[in-house]
Amino acid sequence: MSQKHETPLLDELEKGAFPSFVKEIKRAAEHSEYAQDLLGQLELSYKEKVTHWKHGGIVGVRGYGAGVIGRYSDVPDKFPGVAHFHTVRVNQPAGFFYTTDALREICDIWDKYGSRLTNMHGSTGDIILLGTKTENLEPVFAELSSRGWDLGGSGSAVRTPSCCVGPARCEWSCYDTLELTYQITQRFQDELHRPMFPYKFKFKMAGCAVDCIASIARADMSIIGTWKGNIQIDQEEVRNYAKNGMDIQAEIVDMCPTGCMSWDGNELKINDEDCNRCMHCIAKMTKALRQGEEKGATILLGSKAPIVTGALMSWVIVPFIKLEPPYEELFDLVERIWEFWDEHGKNRERVGELIERMGFPVFLKETGLEPHPAMVKEPRRDPFFFWSEEDIEK
Amino acid sequence: MEKEELKKIIYELVEKSMGKKKLKQSDILKKVSKDHGVDKQEVKAALRELLDSGQLIFTYFGGSYVEIPPKE
């Protein structure tokens, strides 16, 4: 298939050292009319400095209200190949692990029904299949589900839960992020496929405070692994790091956010009571330091990227919880939070924004959570405590 | 209340709102549950059947709503 549209502006983006999305769309355009017209419409957008996409509307697969994002061209006469260019979100496996066969299977399905373009992975975590026509949605869904795949979340629904690689590949994971992600996905199938909330709700599971999945900044509920007890120190290995050139004072002790460490040139000391489990020292001295033995997670609530209003960070609501199957304590908490949000949330108001609007004490009262000094709003800020009128009188 | 009767109430509620106010799933659950004294889970199950059969559909206009599908 020869190139249908001249693309002088897009061609500029192919120059330089880095891979270019234009190059990939051109490759797909050799076999796909969608990609041909996508190039044409993009070129027009670059020329006119305005988008030609419309999004939303009435599009989806029967029974589901999530998983398909409607997208239409506002210049369909010029670019009929992208008159409809819907996105299909496919629920990714926990930890993003695939066999090569699984990837081939997804690509074969998309070659058959879509534009041949994908995005691995979208910011929520799903496999994003970019661009298909309305009439292809039911067939693509049928074929995906017949092979064990399912659609992910979109709209005012639970978004596809995602996690770090967890214990599958990382010794720091304080709980099984993969198992919890799978169990949340199974438990909240209805909430994932049938939008029922004021706005989106994201779960992200990180095995430790290194937070490879960036849950603290972009998940409504961030579940971050942590531990109780003292950091385990192998002093011999600490001395080896020093011998091999590490400046322990500058790189470890002075970088500790709570200043709870000291180094006398021979022995590393940690005042564990002041440690906030940030993982910096453990991540730098992997052979010398290990987390405490009692492991679990901290649950935080309310972060989001700046879409309708500004960005928020997560707020600690459960300082420590043992996370083991069947996770009923966690699921019960999630349902209480959703009841609070459902009762008071305005349209397109994330749960973090609702808490900001109504106040943390109201949230705690209605969800039945006991106030605790460790309910820190943002990292490195002082914790605080609330008193009711009756408490003050006492 | 019989499920079929509940489905009729939900459908009529959505029908009456068309062109006036877009209803979210939670709006329907709250209203029907309150007006008819039915448990929200029962309303949810009836609504689910209407959605699965295609009598009602989800739409997205900055948020997700439940509506009657357009006539072909």
Side-chain angles (χ1 to χ4, degrees), chain A residues 133-168:
Chain A
K133 296 184 170 108
T134 305
E135 58 266 33
N136 283 349
L137 290 171
E138 288 292 351
V140 78
F141 176 53
E143 191 145 349
L144 284 166
S145 42
S146 72
R147 299 186 192 199
W149 300 92
D150 197 3
L151 299 189
S154 66
S156 306
V158 165
R159 298 305 180 83
T160 314
S162 68
C163 64
C164 66
V165 295

PDB file of all heavy atoms in Angstrom, chain A residues 133-168:
ATOM      1  N   LYS A 133     -13.354   0.228  14.149  1.00  0.00           N
ATOM      2  CA  LYS A 133     -14.682   0.747  13.794  1.00  0.00           C
ATOM      3  C   LYS A 133     -15.736   0.210  14.762  1.00  0.00           C
ATOM      4  O   LYS A 133     -15.546  -0.863  15.357  1.00  0.00           O
ATOM      5  CB  LYS A 133     -15.052   0.283  12.388  1.00  0.00           C
ATOM      6  CG  LYS A 133     -14.148   0.837  11.316  1.00  0.00           C
ATOM      7  CD  LYS A 133     -14.673   0.394   9.948  1.00  0.00           C
ATOM      8  CE  LYS A 133     -13.926   1.131   8.851  1.00  0.00           C
ATOM      9  NZ  LYS A 133     -12.999   0.323   8.113  1.00  0.00           N
ATOM     10  N   THR A 134     -16.856   0.913  14.850  1.00  0.00           N
ATOM     11  CA  THR A 134     -17.938   0.505  15.756  1.00  0.00           C
ATOM     12  C   THR A 134     -18.368  -0.935  15.478  1.00  0.00           C
ATOM     13  O   THR A 134     -18.546  -1.729  16.406  1.00  0.00           O
ATOM     14  CB  THR A 134     -19.132   1.467  15.615  1.00  0.00           C
ATOM     15  OG1 THR A 134     -18.658   2.796  15.835  1.00  0.00           O
ATOM     16  CG2 THR A 134     -20.230   1.155  16.611  1.00  0.00           C
ATOM     17  N   GLU A 135     -18.508  -1.282  14.197  1.00  0.00           N
ATOM     18  CA  GLU A 135     -19.026  -2.626  13.870  1.00  0.00           C
ATOM     19  C   GLU A 135     -18.041  -3.746  14.231  1.00  0.00           C
ATOM     20  O   GLU A 135     -18.411  -4.912  14.267  1.00  0.00           O
ATOM     21  CB  GLU A 135     -19.435  -2.729  12.396  1.00  0.00           C
ATOM     22  CG  GLU A 135     -18.323  -2.435  11.397  1.00  0.00           C
ATOM     23  CD  GLU A 135     -18.300  -0.981  10.945  1.00  0.00           C
ATOM     24  OE1 GLU A 135     -18.655  -0.092  11.753  1.00  0.00           O
ATOM     25  OE2 GLU A 135     -17.905  -0.724   9.794  1.00  0.00           O
ATOM     26  N   ASN A 136     -16.793  -3.382  14.499  1.00  0.00           N
ATOM     27  CA  ASN A 136     -15.810  -4.409  14.885  1.00  0.00           C
ATOM     28  C   ASN A 136     -15.751  -4.658  16.387  1.00  0.00           C
ATOM     29  O   ASN A 136     -15.063  -5.585  16.832  1.00  0.00           O
ATOM     30  CB  ASN A 136     -14.400  -3.991  14.428  1.00  0.00           C
ATOM     31  CG  ASN A 136     -14.210  -4.204  12.942  1.00  0.00           C
ATOM     32  OD1 ASN A 136     -15.037  -4.835  12.300  1.00  0.00           O
ATOM     33  ND2 ASN A 136     -13.139  -3.666  12.404  1.00  0.00           N
ATOM     34  N   LEU A 137     -16.438  -3.828  17.181  1.00  0.00           N
ATOM     35  CA  LEU A 137     -16.275  -3.919  18.637  1.00  0.00           C
ATOM     36  C   LEU A 137     -16.779  -5.246  19.204  1.00  0.00           C
ATOM     37  O   LEU A 137     -16.077  -5.901  19.979  1.00  0.00           O
ATOM     38  CB  LEU A 137     -16.970  -2.740  19.332  1.00  0.00           C
ATOM     39  CG  LEU A 137     -16.296  -1.388  19.111  1.00  0.00           C
ATOM     40  CD1 LEU A 137     -17.159  -0.254  19.646  1.00  0.00           C
ATOM     41  CD2 LEU A 137     -14.920  -1.354  19.778  1.00  0.00           C
ATOM     42  N   GLU A 138     -17.996  -5.649  18.810  1.00  0.00           N
ATOM     43  CA  GLU A 138     -18.518  -6.924  19.344  1.00  0.00           C
ATOM     44  C   GLU A 138     -17.654  -8.105  18.880  1.00  0.00           C
ATOM     45  O   GLU A 138     -17.311  -8.963  19.694  1.00  0.00           O
ATOM     46  CB  GLU A 138     -19.989  -7.125  18.960  1.00  0.00           C
ATOM     47  CG  GLU A 138     -20.970  -6.207  19.693  1.00  0.00           C
ATOM     48  CD  GLU A 138     -21.115  -6.479  21.192  1.00  0.00           C
ATOM     49  OE1 GLU A 138     -20.582  -7.490  21.691  1.00  0.00           O
ATOM     50  OE2 GLU A 138     -21.742  -5.643  21.865  1.00  0.00           O
ATOM     51  N   PRO A 139     -17.277  -8.168  17.587  1.00  0.00           N
ATOM     52  CA  PRO A 139     -16.414  -9.283  17.172  1.00  0.00           C
ATOM     53  C   PRO A 139     -15.062  -9.317  17.894  1.00  0.00           C
ATOM     54  O   PRO A 139     -14.590 -10.389  18.280  1.00  0.00           O
ATOM     55  CB  PRO A 139     -16.206  -9.055  15.671  1.00  0.00           C
ATOM     56  CG  PRO A 139     -17.350  -8.209  15.241  1.00  0.00           C
ATOM     57  CD  PRO A 139     -17.736  -7.380  16.420  1.00  0.00           C
ATOM     58  N   VAL A 140     -14.456  -8.151  18.088  1.00  0.00           N
ATOM     59  CA  VAL A 140     -13.144  -8.161  18.757  1.00  0.00           C
ATOM     60  C   VAL A 140     -13.305  -8.588  20.219  1.00  0.00           C
ATOM     61  O   VAL A 140     -12.488  -9.357  20.753  1.00  0.00           O
ATOM     62  CB  VAL A 140     -12.395  -6.812  18.606  1.00  0.00           C
ATOM     63  CG1 VAL A 140     -12.905  -5.741  19.538  1.00  0.00           C
ATOM     64  CG2 VAL A 140     -10.905  -6.988  18.853  1.00  0.00           C
ATOM     65  N   PHE A 141     -14.383  -8.139  20.845  1.00  0.00           N
ATOM     66  CA  PHE A 141     -14.637  -8.525  22.238  1.00  0.00           C
ATOM     67  C   PHE A 141     -14.883 -10.037  22.332  1.00  0.00           C
ATOM     68  O   PHE A 141     -14.347 -10.715  23.214  1.00  0.00           O
ATOM     69  CB  PHE A 141     -15.836  -7.736  22.779  1.00  0.00           C
ATOM     70  CG  PHE A 141     -16.248  -8.119  24.168  1.00  0.00           C
ATOM     71  CD1 PHE A 141     -15.327  -8.131  25.206  1.00  0.00           C
ATOM     72  CD2 PHE A 141     -17.561  -8.454  24.446  1.00  0.00           C
ATOM     73  CE1 PHE A 141     -15.717  -8.480  26.496  1.00  0.00           C
ATOM     74  CE2 PHE A 141     -17.957  -8.802  25.738  1.00  0.00           C
ATOM     75  CZ  PHE A 141     -17.036  -8.815  26.755  1.00  0.00           C
ATOM     76  N   ALA A 142     -15.681 -10.550  21.387  1.00  0.00           N
ATOM     77  CA  ALA A 142     -15.982 -11.989  21.400  1.00  0.00           C
ATOM     78  C   ALA A 142     -14.695 -12.799  21.234  1.00  0.00           C
ATOM     79  O   ALA A 142     -14.474 -13.801  21.915  1.00  0.00           O
ATOM     80  CB  ALA A 142     -16.975 -12.322  20.287  1.00  0.00           C
ATOM     81  N   GLU A 143     -13.845 -12.336  20.327  1.00  0.00           N
ATOM     82  CA  GLU A 143     -12.613 -13.098  20.083  1.00  0.00           C
ATOM     83  C   GLU A 143     -11.646 -12.996  21.269  1.00  0.00           C
ATOM     84  O   GLU A 143     -11.029 -13.985  21.664  1.00  0.00           O
ATOM     85  CB  GLU A 143     -11.937 -12.615  18.795  1.00  0.00           C
ATOM     86  CG  GLU A 143     -10.827 -13.540  18.390  1.00  0.00           C
ATOM     87  CD  GLU A 143     -10.668 -13.709  16.883  1.00  0.00           C
ATOM     88  OE1 GLU A 143     -11.541 -13.270  16.109  1.00  0.00           O
ATOM     89  OE2 GLU A 143      -9.647 -14.288  16.493  1.00  0.00           O
ATOM     90  N   LEU A 144     -11.552 -11.803  21.829  1.00  0.00           N
ATOM     91  CA  LEU A 144     -10.685 -11.651  23.010  1.00  0.00           C
ATOM     92  C   LEU A 144     -11.183 -12.535  24.148  1.00  0.00           C
ATOM     93  O   LEU A 144     -10.412 -13.269  24.766  1.00  0.00           O
ATOM     94  CB  LEU A 144     -10.666 -10.185  23.475  1.00  0.00           C
ATOM     95  CG  LEU A 144      -9.837  -9.207  22.643  1.00  0.00           C
ATOM     96  CD1 LEU A 144     -10.177  -7.761  23.008  1.00  0.00           C
ATOM     97  CD2 LEU A 144      -8.336  -9.433  22.844  1.00  0.00           C
ATOM     98  N   SER A 145     -12.499 -12.481  24.424  1.00  0.00           N
ATOM     99  CA  SER A 145     -12.987 -13.234  25.591  1.00  0.00           C
ATOM    100  C   SER A 145     -12.953 -14.739  25.352  1.00  0.00           C
ATOM    101  O   SER A 145     -12.733 -15.503  26.291  1.00  0.00           O
ATOM    102  CB  SER A 145     -14.360 -12.757  26.068  1.00  0.00           C
ATOM    103  OG  SER A 145     -15.188 -12.509  25.007  1.00  0.00           O
ATOM    104  N   SER A 146     -13.101 -15.156  24.093  1.00  0.00           N
ATOM    105  CA  SER A 146     -13.034 -16.604  23.830  1.00  0.00           C
ATOM    106  C   SER A 146     -11.625 -17.141  24.105  1.00  0.00           C
ATOM    107  O   SER A 146     -11.435 -18.332  24.293  1.00  0.00           O
ATOM    108  CB  SER A 146     -13.439 -16.911  22.389  1.00  0.00           C
ATOM    109  OG  SER A 146     -12.418 -16.494  21.514  1.00  0.00           O
ATOM    110  N   ARG A 147     -10.637 -16.257  24.121  1.00  0.00           N
ATOM    111  CA  ARG A 147      -9.257 -16.694  24.392  1.00  0.00           C
ATOM    112  C   ARG A 147      -8.789 -16.301  25.797  1.00  0.00           C
ATOM    113  O   ARG A 147      -7.592 -16.277  26.075  1.00  0.00           O
ATOM    114  CB  ARG A 147      -8.321 -16.100  23.355  1.00  0.00           C
ATOM    115  CG  ARG A 147      -8.688 -16.561  21.948  1.00  0.00           C
ATOM    116  CD  ARG A 147      -7.690 -16.081  20.968  1.00  0.00           C
ATOM    117  NE  ARG A 147      -8.151 -16.269  19.600  1.00  0.00           N
ATOM    118  CZ  ARG A 147      -7.354 -16.265  18.569  1.00  0.00           C
ATOM    119  NH1 ARG A 147      -6.064 -16.105  18.747  1.00  0.00           N
ATOM    120  NH2 ARG A 147      -7.831 -16.410  17.362  1.00  0.00           N
ATOM    121  N   GLY A 148      -9.747 -15.927  26.641  1.00  0.00           N
ATOM    122  CA  GLY A 148      -9.417 -15.698  28.049  1.00  0.00           C
ATOM    123  C   GLY A 148      -9.033 -14.275  28.404  1.00  0.00           C
ATOM    124  O   GLY A 148      -8.656 -13.994  29.537  1.00  0.00           O
ATOM    125  N   TRP A 149      -9.139 -13.348  27.457  1.00  0.00           N
ATOM    126  CA  TRP A 149      -8.852 -11.949  27.763  1.00  0.00           C
ATOM    127  C   TRP A 149     -10.156 -11.258  28.155  1.00  0.00           C
ATOM    128  O   TRP A 149     -11.236 -11.703  27.788  1.00  0.00           O
ATOM    129  CB  TRP A 149      -8.256 -11.227  26.546  1.00  0.00           C
ATOM    130  CG  TRP A 149      -6.975 -11.800  26.052  1.00  0.00           C
ATOM    131  CD1 TRP A 149      -6.820 -12.751  25.084  1.00  0.00           C
ATOM    132  CD2 TRP A 149      -5.655 -11.466  26.490  1.00  0.00           C
ATOM    133  NE1 TRP A 149      -5.491 -13.025  24.894  1.00  0.00           N
ATOM    134  CE2 TRP A 149      -4.745 -12.246  25.743  1.00  0.00           C
ATOM    135  CE3 TRP A 149      -5.150 -10.570  27.430  1.00  0.00           C
ATOM    136  CZ2 TRP A 149      -3.367 -12.172  25.912  1.00  0.00           C
ATOM    137  CZ3 TRP A 149      -3.778 -10.484  27.598  1.00  0.00           C
ATOM    138  CH2 TRP A 149      -2.896 -11.281  26.843  1.00  0.00           C
ATOM    139  N   ASP A 150     -10.040 -10.139  28.851  1.00  0.00           N
ATOM    140  CA  ASP A 150     -11.232  -9.362  29.185  1.00  0.00           C
ATOM    141  C   ASP A 150     -10.915  -7.885  28.988  1.00  0.00           C
ATOM    142  O   ASP A 150      -9.741  -7.494  28.960  1.00  0.00           O
ATOM    143  CB  ASP A 150     -11.638  -9.627  30.644  1.00  0.00           C
ATOM    144  CG  ASP A 150     -13.072  -9.183  30.939  1.00  0.00           C
ATOM    145  OD1 ASP A 150     -13.774  -8.724  30.014  1.00  0.00           O
ATOM    146  OD2 ASP A 150     -13.490  -9.298  32.110  1.00  0.00           O
ATOM    147  N   LEU A 151     -11.976  -7.081  28.875  1.00  0.00           N
ATOM    148  CA  LEU A 151     -11.748  -5.646  28.741  1.00  0.00           C
ATOM    149  C   LEU A 151     -11.381  -5.048  30.098  1.00  0.00           C
ATOM    150  O   LEU A 151     -11.722  -5.598  31.145  1.00  0.00           O
ATOM    151  CB  LEU A 151     -12.991  -4.954  28.188  1.00  0.00           C
ATOM    152  CG  LEU A 151     -13.468  -5.399  26.805  1.00  0.00           C
ATOM    153  CD1 LEU A 151     -14.576  -4.476  26.304  1.00  0.00           C
ATOM    154  CD2 LEU A 151     -12.322  -5.421  25.797  1.00  0.00           C
ATOM    155  N   GLY A 152     -10.740  -3.900  30.056  1.00  0.00           N
ATOM    156  CA  GLY A 152     -10.366  -3.191  31.279  1.00  0.00           C
ATOM    157  C   GLY A 152     -11.389  -2.122  31.618  1.00  0.00           C
ATOM    158  O   GLY A 152     -12.467  -2.061  31.022  1.00  0.00           O
ATOM    159  N   GLY A 153     -11.036  -1.267  32.553  1.00  0.00           N
ATOM    160  CA  GLY A 153     -11.965  -0.238  33.011  1.00  0.00           C
ATOM    161  C   GLY A 153     -11.800   1.067  32.247  1.00  0.00           C
ATOM    162  O   GLY A 153     -10.734   1.372  31.729  1.00  0.00           O
ATOM    163  N   SER A 154     -12.899   1.832  32.181  1.00  0.00           N
ATOM    164  CA  SER A 154     -12.838   3.194  31.644  1.00  0.00           C
ATOM    165  C   SER A 154     -14.058   3.939  32.169  1.00  0.00           C
ATOM    166  O   SER A 154     -14.937   3.332  32.779  1.00  0.00           O
ATOM    167  CB  SER A 154     -12.812   3.198  30.113  1.00  0.00           C
ATOM    168  OG  SER A 154     -14.020   2.707  29.593  1.00  0.00           O
ATOM    169  N   GLY A 155     -14.123   5.237  31.950  1.00  0.00           N
ATOM    170  CA  GLY A 155     -15.258   6.019  32.440  1.00  0.00           C
ATOM    171  C   GLY A 155     -15.304   6.020  33.970  1.00  0.00           C
ATOM    172  O   GLY A 155     -14.289   5.872  34.646  1.00  0.00           O
ATOM    173  N   SER A 156     -16.542   6.141  34.499  1.00  0.00           N
ATOM    174  CA  SER A 156     -16.699   6.289  35.951  1.00  0.00           C
ATOM    175  C   SER A 156     -16.740   4.920  36.640  1.00  0.00           C
ATOM    176  O   SER A 156     -17.677   4.598  37.368  1.00  0.00           O
ATOM    177  CB  SER A 156     -17.984   7.060  36.239  1.00  0.00           C
ATOM    178  OG  SER A 156     -17.975   8.270  35.528  1.00  0.00           O
ATOM    179  N   ALA A 157     -15.719   4.136  36.387  1.00  0.00           N
ATOM    180  CA  ALA A 157     -15.666   2.762  36.897  1.00  0.00           C
ATOM    181  C   ALA A 157     -14.351   2.539  37.632  1.00  0.00           C
ATOM    182  O   ALA A 157     -13.456   3.391  37.598  1.00  0.00           O
ATOM    183  CB  ALA A 157     -15.756   1.782  35.727  1.00  0.00           C
ATOM    184  N   VAL A 158     -14.238   1.368  38.269  1.00  0.00           N
ATOM    185  CA  VAL A 158     -12.928   0.950  38.764  1.00  0.00           C
ATOM    186  C   VAL A 158     -12.052   0.747  37.533  1.00  0.00           C
ATOM    187  O   VAL A 158     -12.462   0.097  36.578  1.00  0.00           O
ATOM    188  CB  VAL A 158     -13.023  -0.372  39.553  1.00  0.00           C
ATOM    189  CG1 VAL A 158     -11.650  -1.007  39.755  1.00  0.00           C
ATOM    190  CG2 VAL A 158     -13.656  -0.140  40.911  1.00  0.00           C
ATOM    191  N   ARG A 159     -10.881   1.352  37.554  1.00  0.00           N
ATOM    192  CA  ARG A 159      -9.962   1.152  36.435  1.00  0.00           C
ATOM    193  C   ARG A 159      -9.160  -0.127  36.686  1.00  0.00           C
ATOM    194  O   ARG A 159      -8.999  -0.547  37.830  1.00  0.00           O
ATOM    195  CB  ARG A 159      -9.048   2.360  36.299  1.00  0.00           C
ATOM    196  CG  ARG A 159      -9.811   3.641  35.988  1.00  0.00           C
ATOM    197  CD  ARG A 159     -10.672   3.486  34.748  1.00  0.00           C
ATOM    198  NE  ARG A 159     -11.402   4.700  34.429  1.00  0.00           N
ATOM    199  CZ  ARG A 159     -10.913   5.729  33.747  1.00  0.00           C
ATOM    200  NH1 ARG A 159      -9.667   5.699  33.324  1.00  0.00           N
ATOM    201  NH2 ARG A 159     -11.646   6.783  33.492  1.00  0.00           N
ATOM    202  N   THR A 160      -8.657  -0.695  35.617  1.00  0.00           N
ATOM    203  CA  THR A 160      -7.957  -1.973  35.723  1.00  0.00           C
ATOM    204  C   THR A 160      -6.865  -1.883  36.794  1.00  0.00           C
ATOM    205  O   THR A 160      -5.947  -1.064  36.675  1.00  0.00           O
ATOM    206  CB  THR A 160      -7.323  -2.320  34.370  1.00  0.00           C
ATOM    207  OG1 THR A 160      -8.293  -2.079  33.356  1.00  0.00           O
ATOM    208  CG2 THR A 160      -6.869  -3.760  34.346  1.00  0.00           C
ATOM    209  N   PRO A 161      -6.974  -2.688  37.844  1.00  0.00           N
ATOM    210  CA  PRO A 161      -5.946  -2.600  38.891  1.00  0.00           C
ATOM    211  C   PRO A 161      -4.572  -2.979  38.332  1.00  0.00           C
ATOM    212  O   PRO A 161      -4.465  -3.873  37.494  1.00  0.00           O
ATOM    213  CB  PRO A 161      -6.408  -3.642  39.927  1.00  0.00           C
ATOM    214  CG  PRO A 161      -7.861  -3.849  39.654  1.00  0.00           C
ATOM    215  CD  PRO A 161      -8.007  -3.674  38.177  1.00  0.00           C
ATOM    216  N   SER A 162      -3.535  -2.303  38.807  1.00  0.00           N
ATOM    217  CA  SER A 162      -2.197  -2.664  38.320  1.00  0.00           C
ATOM    218  C   SER A 162      -1.200  -2.662  39.479  1.00  0.00           C
ATOM    219  O   SER A 162      -1.449  -2.088  40.533  1.00  0.00           O
ATOM    220  CB  SER A 162      -1.741  -1.747  37.188  1.00  0.00           C
ATOM    221  OG  SER A 162      -1.519  -0.461  37.662  1.00  0.00           O
ATOM    222  N   CYS A 163      -0.085  -3.333  39.246  1.00  0.00           N
ATOM    223  CA  CYS A 163       0.877  -3.512  40.335  1.00  0.00           C
ATOM    224  C   CYS A 163       2.301  -3.590  39.791  1.00  0.00           C
ATOM    225  O   CYS A 163       2.516  -3.731  38.585  1.00  0.00           O
ATOM    226  CB  CYS A 163       0.549  -4.788  41.106  1.00  0.00           C
ATOM    227  SG  CYS A 163       0.709  -6.297  40.148  1.00  0.00           S
ATOM    228  N   CYS A 164       3.246  -3.526  40.707  1.00  0.00           N
ATOM    229  CA  CYS A 164       4.646  -3.731  40.339  1.00  0.00           C
ATOM    230  C   CYS A 164       4.886  -5.232  40.124  1.00  0.00           C
ATOM    231  O   CYS A 164       3.971  -6.033  40.299  1.00  0.00           O
ATOM    232  CB  CYS A 164       5.552  -3.198  41.446  1.00  0.00           C
ATOM    233  SG  CYS A 164       5.412  -4.107  42.996  1.00  0.00           S
ATOM    234  N   VAL A 165       6.111  -5.609  39.794  1.00  0.00           N
ATOM    235  CA  VAL A 165       6.381  -7.030  39.534  1.00  0.00           C
ATOM    236  C   VAL A 165       6.335  -7.878  40.804  1.00  0.00           C
ATOM    237  O   VAL A 165       6.249  -9.101  40.742  1.00  0.00           O
ATOM    238  CB  VAL A 165       7.741  -7.250  38.824  1.00  0.00           C
ATOM    239  CG1 VAL A 165       7.721  -6.649  37.444  1.00  0.00           C
ATOM    240  CG2 VAL A 165       8.896  -6.693  39.644  1.00  0.00           C
ATOM    241  N   GLY A 166       6.367  -7.208  41.951  1.00  0.00           N
ATOM    242  CA  GLY A 166       6.158  -7.888  43.225  1.00  0.00           C
ATOM    243  C   GLY A 166       7.132  -9.026  43.490  1.00  0.00           C
ATOM    244  O   GLY A 166       8.257  -9.021  42.987  1.00  0.00           O
ATOM    245  N   PRO A 167       6.678 -10.017  44.268  1.00  0.00           N
ATOM    246  CA  PRO A 167       7.590 -11.092  44.661  1.00  0.00           C
ATOM    247  C   PRO A 167       8.046 -11.953  43.483  1.00  0.00           C
ATOM    248  O   PRO A 167       8.985 -12.742  43.632  1.00  0.00           O
ATOM    249  CB  PRO A 167       6.761 -11.917  45.652  1.00  0.00           C
ATOM    250  CG  PRO A 167       5.350 -11.587  45.329  1.00  0.00           C
ATOM    251  CD  PRO A 167       5.341 -10.190  44.819  1.00  0.00           C
ATOM    252  N   ALA A 168       7.417 -11.774  42.318  1.00  0.00           N
ATOM    253  CA  ALA A 168       7.843 -12.552  41.158  1.00  0.00           C
ATOM    254  C   ALA A 168       9.283 -12.229  40.768  1.00  0.00           C
ATOM    255  O   ALA A 168      10.015 -13.093  40.286  1.00  0.00           O
ATOM    256  CB  ALA A 168       6.913 -12.302  39.973  1.00  0.00           C
TER     257      ALA A 168
END
